[in-house]
Amino acid sequence: MSVVSLLGVKVLNNPAKFGDAYEFEITFECLEQLQKDLEWKLTYVGSATSSEHDQELDSLLVGPIPIGVNKFIFEADAPDLKRIPVSEIIGVTVILLTCSYDNREFVRVGYYVNNEYDSEELNSKPPPKPIIERVRRNILAEKPRVTRFAIKWDSEDSAPAEFPPEQPEADVIEDDGTAYGAEEAELEAALIKEEAALGPEDADEEMAGADDTAGPSGAAAKAEDDEDSDAGSEDLEAESSGSEDEDIEDEEGEGEGDEDMEMGEDGEAKTAAPQEAPNGQSIGDAGHGEVMVH
């Protein structure tokens, strides 16, 4: 918790001419008796591209600080034009109001500042060399940017916690990398131990039991399967041959009628030649290819 809290900053002379002094009314609260003074500073940012042109306009030591709410007026001179690039005098820049205790900054307030001419004609067509007497500054006091920092005050208890905090117990905890895959390793070791306890004789007995339950030997089973398949194929061939003969006769009778109709149209017979089946049996018309020969 901060011992000193900034309650408010009021810009007194705003807008003003570029060469006028800055005036701020600062209100803050102190919760404890401080051993040292507070240091307030006002910095003018002369260039947005380099910090070399920053100017510390003024600094003020305030103390001793009584406990409670305090208020004072902070005045600072205008920036030195010689330290500002000519191209950056006109335009938008920034001023920073900071406060430190024992060289430790704990609060910073930033304001945008717009520097422009007091006439539309000069703003539309600015001269190559700025006319400082016609330049006015306008501090955007309604939109300050406040940043606070935790610092150590007079007592050690007020010091902020270290980041990251110390974790002595982290060294005691077992690393995840060493325990990774430990369960799998234990399970594999148990399986190997169980197989070793069974022995080769037990393994042979188990395999023999598996052969008995599997049925007849492989050669006998294969022979029986071959006989069954041959018998089935003979029956299918017999049945298919009988049905094929009937189909052929029917197709021959029907084929004559078809030939007569087709001859009447184009004068040529369009009958398909019978094909020879693998078993020497003839197959009917190509359009009647429904019978399968095995």
Side-chain angles (χ1 to χ4, degrees):
M1 184 177 178
S2 179
V3 176
V4 177
S5 300
L6 181 64
L7 301 181
V9 178
K10 183 179 180 181
V11 182
L12 299 180
N13 56 339
N14 189 52
K17 292 182 179 181
F18 184 85
D20 291 347
Y22 292 86
E23 296 182 7
F24 300 93
E25 183 183 87
I26 301 174
T27 305
F28 65 93
E29 182 181 13
C30 183
L31 302 179
E32 299 177 5
Q33 188 70 40
L34 297 177
Q35 300 176 3
K36 300 179 180 180
D37 297 339
L38 296 177
E39 183 180 12
W40 296 83
K41 292 182 181 180
L42 183 64
T43 304
Y44 184 90
V45 179
S47 175
T49 59
S50 176
S51 60
E52 296 179 358
H53 304 285
D54 293 354
Q55 300 183 43
E56 182 180 317
L57 302 182
D58 204 348
S59 63
L60 177 65
L61 293 175
V62 179
I65 306 298
I67 297 176
V69 178
N70 300 272
K71 182 185 296 185
F72 71 100
I73 304 296
F74 181 27
E75 295 184 2
D77 295 334
D80 185 4
L81 292 174
K82 297 179 182 179
R83 300 177 58 183
I84 304 174
V86 177
S87 60
E88 305 216 22
I89 293 177
I90 305 299
V92 179
T93 186
V94 174
I95 57 173
L96 300 174
L97 177 65
T98 62
C99 187
S100 303
Y101 182 76
D102 196 14
N103 296 323
R104 292 187 290 269
E105 181 180 340
F106 65 90
V107 66
R108 177 184 302 176
V109 183
Y111 292 98
Y112 286 107
V113 180
N114 185 25
N115 298 319
E116 61 181 0
Y117 289 104
D118 55 3
S119 66
E120 293 294 337
E121 182 180 357
L122 292 176
N123 287 325
S124 59
K125 295 181 180 180
K129 184 178 180 180
I131 305 175
I132 303 301
E133 295 77 10
R134 303 291 302 275
V135 178
R136 295 178 63 84
R137 70 162 187 257
N138 183 15
I139 302 174
L140 301 182
E142 296 81 9
K143 298 180 180 180
R145 180 69 179 270
V146 182
T147 307
R148 294 178 173 85
F149 307 95
I151 66 169
K152 174 187 174 183
W153 298 88
D154 293 330
S155 62
E156 293 293 337
D157 297 338
S158 63
E162 295 182 3
F163 183 82
E166 295 183 359
Q167 297 178 351
E169 68 278 1
D171 298 334
V172 181
I173 300 176
E174 184 179 1
D175 189 7
D176 294 339
T178 58
Y180 182 77
E183 296 181 359
E184 290 80 358
E186 292 178 0
L187 180 60
E188 185 178 357
L191 291 175
I192 294 173
K193 185 177 180 181
E194 183 178 356
E195 291 177 358
L198 290 175
E201 296 180 357
D202 296 338
D204 294 340
E205 292 177 359
E206 290 182 359
M207 293 296 295
D211 293 340
D212 296 339
T213 57
S217 62
K222 183 177 181 181
E224 292 179 0
D225 293 341
D226 293 341
E227 292 177 0
D228 294 340
S229 61
D230 293 341
S233 61
E234 291 175 0
D235 295 339
L236 287 174
E237 290 178 359
E239 293 176 359
S240 61
S241 61
S243 59
E244 285 170 3
D245 295 338
E246 295 177 359
D247 292 340
I248 292 171
E249 293 177 359
D250 295 338
E251 289 170 1
E252 290 178 354
E254 294 175 357
E256 295 177 357
D258 295 338
E259 289 177 1
D260 294 339
M261 294 178 64
E262 292 175 355
M263 287 292 290
E265 292 178 359
D266 52 9
E268 295 181 0
K270 298 182 179 179
T271 57
Q275 300 179 0
E276 189 70 15
N279 296 336
Q281 299 171 351
S282 61
I283 303 176
D285 219 1
H288 299 278
E290 299 176 358
V291 179
M292 298 180 64
V293 179
H294 296 278

